[in-house]
Amino acid sequence: MNFKQVIALVTAALLAVSMAHAAEKYPARPLRMIVPFPPGGGTDIMARMVGQRLNDALGMQVVVDNRGGAGGIIGTELAARAAPDGHTMMIGSVSTICLNAALHKKLPFDTEKDLAPISLVASTPSLLVVGNNVAAKSVKELITLAKAKPGQLHYATPGSGSSSHLGSELFKQAAGVDIQHVPYKGTGPAVTDLVSGQVAMFITNMPSVLPMVKANRVRALAVTSLTRSSLMPEVPTVAESGIPGFEVIVWYGVFAPAGTPRSIINRLNHEIGKLGGMQEVKDRLALQGAEVMLSTPEELATRVRGDLAKWGKIVRASGIKAD
């Protein structure tokens, strides 16, 4: 054994001892919750909700660290490169964890290898809505209409590469229809043109369009989760309306740097899991059009693998590019 090999073995042994010591007295200092977006958005709200829960449970302050930029890539890389001692976590979503990997050929981190799943927290289904000028009262009628007018109907999105864009492309492929994409600079202009009849269809999050649905200015045909939403139980799912298995949701989950001790992962998962029994949490999420969605670390890992494959296939088939 040469000198370099001896040094490597000693370093590994010291690291193992250090990690074991850290796990024994965990947490030893305030925790950092990285949010890969500016304050105020859905991811930030989830982070502060989880952070407060862990603060109360662990008796240690959880500092929310907003690191926006590059569609969430900057903050995610920061989390992936952090010390795996359980004192740094991040709130990720299907957009930051899976859609970025599908849309970008090269990222400064490996989505599956550099992040350790801890738990899902919540999910937000979208609504498939159409303008009142569209002669379709159901998903099946919309598909029939689109097939009768190939290339003549248009769908809105808040931008190329958004979850709305990918979800709409999934709908097109699953339904076998030709509907043209019209990207907007944000959700507001897209909703405005949907109401005025400039575009036919929009798949978007509930809060952004719910006031228009309640005012009968647009028509909700379906929710995009596999099961009906408790927030709009009268609206059927796309899956039960002619496209079995169709699902487009924005999920939020907690991740740690890969290599974080399993004992710490388990403890954090256990404490986050208690959010499901808190009515105030459910009420707060409902204001965002979201519902509690908890999991084991393994279930979150399975969700990530499945969505990486699912959205990667959609991107390759449609040639979608990120804005």
Side-chain angles (χ1 to χ4, degrees), residues 43-258:
T43 307
D44 184 66
I45 290 170
M46 300 297 168
R48 295 179 189 279
M49 181 184 70
V50 173
Q52 184 60 56
R53 167 63 204 150
L54 294 179
N55 189 337
D56 296 342
L58 303 178
M60 188 66 74
Q61 183 182 12
V62 178
V63 179
V64 175
D65 185 4
N66 294 90
R67 297 296 186 99
I73 293 174
I74 291 174
T76 305
E77 180 186 11
L78 186 65
R81 300 285 176 253
D85 58 10
H87 290 85
T88 298
M89 295 164 281
M90 74 165 285
I91 288 284
S93 68
V94 65
S95 297
T96 54
I97 301 299
C98 298
L99 299 193
N100 277 339
L103 291 165
H104 298 273
K105 291 183 178 180
K106 188 174 183 180
L107 291 174
F109 54 87
D110 186 300
T111 302
E112 292 189 87
K113 293 181 180 179
D114 294 337
L115 294 169
I118 297 176
S119 177
L120 283 165
V121 175
S123 68
T124 305
S126 291
L127 279 177
L128 191 166
V129 292
V130 296
N132 287 335
N133 63 315
V134 176
K137 301 296 193 296
S138 68
V139 171
K140 288 183 178 180
E141 290 182 6
L142 177 62
I143 293 172
T144 298
L145 179 65
K147 287 184 176 180
K149 298 182 177 181
Q152 296 182 46
L153 299 184
H154 297 79
Y155 72 87
T157 73
S160 295
S162 61
S163 58
S164 173
H165 186 190
L166 272 70
S168 299
E169 286 296 320
L170 176 62
F171 178 82
K172 281 177 57 177
Q173 293 183 24
V177 296
D178 179 13
I179 305 177
Q180 300 300 306
H181 178 214
V182 181
Y184 290 83
K185 293 184 177 180
T187 298
V191 173
T192 297
D193 273 11
L194 181 72
V195 172
S196 68
Q198 299 301 307
V199 291
M201 171 185 133
F202 192 17
I203 292 179
T204 186
N205 61 75
M206 284 189 182
S208 66
V209 77
L210 195 54
M212 295 297 180
V213 173
K214 290 184 176 180
N216 295 318
R217 300 187 68 187
V218 298
R219 189 182 309 119
L221 299 188
V223 293
T224 61
S225 47
L226 286 175
T227 58
R228 294 195 183 198
S229 170
S230 62
L231 305 177
M232 295 188 72
E234 73 282 5
V235 179
T237 67
V238 176
E240 69 182 273
S241 302
I243 308 180
F246 185 93
E247 181 187 42
V248 176
I249 61 170
V250 174
W251 52 257
Y252 299 88
V254 184
F255 295 80

